[in-house]
Amino acid sequence: MLQVVNLTEYASVVAAFPFKDPNLEKSAFPRRFPFSSMVPKVYKQVKEFVRSSLWYTEDLNLTQTKIDEMIQKSTNLLLTGTLSGCLTTLIQKPSVGLLELIQITLNTNYLECTNIYLEEFITSVTKSSVKDESYKAELQGKSMFKDARAEAEEQIYEKLKAKIDESFDLASYDWTLNEPEGRASDYIIDLVAFLQSTFLAFTNLPLKVATTACAAACQHINRKLMYMILGDEDVRQVSLGALKQLDLDLIQCEQFASSEPVKGVDSTLLIECLTDVRQLLDLFNQCDFSAYFHDFGERTSKYPRVTPASAIKLLEKYVIAILPLDSMYGPMFSG
């Protein structure tokens, strides 16, 4: 974010860039703009490019119409070629972090809004000697910045999922556990703390982007937990204690989802993203197979997201975990 510490610095920014915020104008110093210094710099450089292009055409003996067309075409090439290429290269850099991508998304949103001001600027400087008052420059900056923002948003979702993958790589479950630890696993606690701090930066993003990012994170956590339980071939047995530990970890994630990590995001939607693993764990931890079979396929089923294949696969792993016990089926089916 661009920060100014006095009225002189503030006036310099708003004079160079068309931005007005009554609340910011009334706030105390230091004041923070919702964009970085990149935004006014890019806007200023595009205007300087237009002036230089106009100066270049002065001795070419071109008609005013040709000059107008030339400046508009060269400015569009600057926006859709040079600037677009720079943004794409920056967004795709592996070294660019999540917070930087969020800032780029915010910046492109504000730059997109300047398209109309750049069009008005070109029109004003080129038609000074033209009688045609209907002439208006048309730039392609708006669509270019929109495309760049969409690419940055997609990278945000991918970076989030990559961070979640890194956290799950640290998971170390004892799949033969007799009793849970009584608290969520350390890797889950650290992951939730990371997500909470990260989503604080989503406050100024459009609600749709924030919602998509939060949902993508919860969906990915759901997939990772389901994979550990069912898909990981190295996990050949799963005890009831391990399932209860997973339940504690899931509760931690559900509490995060229900906490409205970004203001305005529907918590119900985020909790729904964790439904697959929640229903599977409930089925086994509550030993609710009678209800599962009785209501299977019905709209009133408690476990509509648990497929027979998933239930059988986890049951097989559970049976392997309890084979050394006297009872073939263990405490789940006793009494």
Side-chain angles (χ1 to χ4, degrees):
M1 300 286 185
L2 175 58
Q3 179 173 293
V4 293
V5 297
N6 55 50
L7 190 58
T8 301
E9 290 184 357
Y10 179 82
S12 176
V13 174
V14 296
F17 182 71
F19 177 79
K20 290 184 178 180
D21 184 345
N23 293 328
L24 186 61
E25 289 178 3
K26 297 174 185 176
S27 65
F29 288 102
R31 296 176 184 173
R32 291 167 64 90
F33 289 89
F35 46 79
S36 73
S37 59
M38 163 194 166
V39 173
K41 284 179 180 178
V42 167
Y43 182 74
K44 180 181 178 181
Q45 287 173 359
V46 173
K47 289 178 69 174
E48 289 176 351
F49 175 84
V50 172
R51 290 193 186 95
S52 297
S53 297
L54 186 61
W55 175 81
Y56 175 76
T57 63
E58 286 182 356
D59 298 322
L60 295 181
N61 296 320
L62 299 174
T63 65
Q64 189 62 47
T65 301
K66 287 292 184 183
I67 291 174
D68 297 340
E69 291 175 353
M70 181 178 177
I71 291 177
Q72 183 172 311
K73 182 178 180 180
S74 61
T75 306
N76 274 326
L77 285 173
L78 174 71
L79 294 172
T80 62
T82 306
L83 185 54
S84 175
C86 291
L87 282 172
T88 298
T89 300
L90 177 63
I91 290 167
Q92 293 180 351
K93 270 187 176 181
S95 59
V96 173
L98 195 53
L99 295 179
E100 291 169 299
L101 286 168
I102 293 171
Q103 186 61 66
I104 291 170
T105 301
L106 289 169
N107 287 347
T108 52
N109 185 58
Y110 284 101
L111 285 170
E112 180 186 337
C113 296
T114 66
N115 195 74
I116 186 172
Y117 297 107
L118 289 172
E119 289 176 342
E120 290 174 353
F121 174 73
I122 292 175
T123 300
S124 67
V125 298
T126 58
K127 79 173 189 180
S128 56
S129 59
V130 188
K131 301 296 183 184
D132 184 7
E133 294 293 326
S134 65
Y135 169 76
K136 184 180 185 302
E138 293 184 0
L139 298 178
Q140 299 168 12
K142 189 171 184 178
S143 59
M144 185 279 289
F145 287 123
K146 186 178 294 184
D147 291 343
R149 187 171 68 253
E151 187 174 2
E153 290 167 2
E154 190 60 36
Q155 285 296 315
I156 288 173
Y157 308 145
E158 293 303 315
K159 292 278 187 182
L160 267 176
K161 289 188 282 189
K163 180 61 180 179
I164 292 170
D165 288 342
E166 290 176 11
S167 295
F168 271 84
D169 287 342
L170 301 175
S172 180
Y173 285 100
D174 178 359
W175 297 106
T176 63
L177 197 65
N178 290 324
E179 294 292 336
E181 297 175 2
R183 60 188 288 274
S185 302
D186 288 340
Y187 86 96
I188 286 289
I189 293 173
D190 292 343
L191 173 59
V192 168
F194 163 78
L195 292 174
Q196 287 172 331
S197 63
T198 298
F199 285 137
L200 288 175
F202 280 67
T203 305
N204 293 319
L205 286 177
L207 182 59
K208 182 181 178 182
V209 178
T211 300
T212 302
C214 290
C218 290
Q219 287 170 345
H220 201 58
I221 290 171
N222 180 78
R223 284 192 293 268
K224 296 296 289 188
L225 288 171
M226 289 292 285
Y227 174 78
M228 281 201 304
I229 300 169
L230 301 175
D232 191 342
E233 296 299 328
D234 291 332
V235 180
R236 302 185 62 185
Q237 56 181 311
V238 180
S239 68
L240 191 57
L243 290 175
K244 290 186 180 296
Q245 181 60 48
L246 282 165
D247 189 73
L248 291 173
D249 293 344
L250 180 58
I251 289 172
Q252 188 82 7
C253 297
E254 289 170 332
Q255 289 174 344
F256 162 74
S258 63
S259 68
E260 196 180 25
V262 178
K263 187 174 177 59
V265 173
D266 185 0
S267 296
T268 305
L269 170 66
L270 302 185
I271 294 173
E272 177 69 18
C273 294
L274 299 166
T275 299
D276 290 344
V277 68
R278 166 46 66 205
Q279 290 187 6
L280 183 62
L281 289 176
D282 282 353
L283 174 60
F284 277 78
N285 286 330
Q286 297 174 18
C287 189
D288 205 11
F289 286 92
S290 58
Y292 177 71
F293 291 123
H294 183 270
D295 298 333
F296 184 78
E298 300 291 333
R299 287 188 302 174
T300 57
S301 172
K302 290 173 61 178
Y303 308 101
R305 305 283 278 272
V306 180
T307 66
S310 296
I312 291 171
K313 190 161 189 177
L314 182 52
L315 183 59
E316 289 173 346
K317 292 187 177 188
Y318 177 79
V319 169
I320 293 174
I322 64 173
L323 275 177
L325 302 179
D326 293 338
S327 169
M328 175 68 178
Y329 299 102
M332 283 180 60
F333 303 102
S334 63

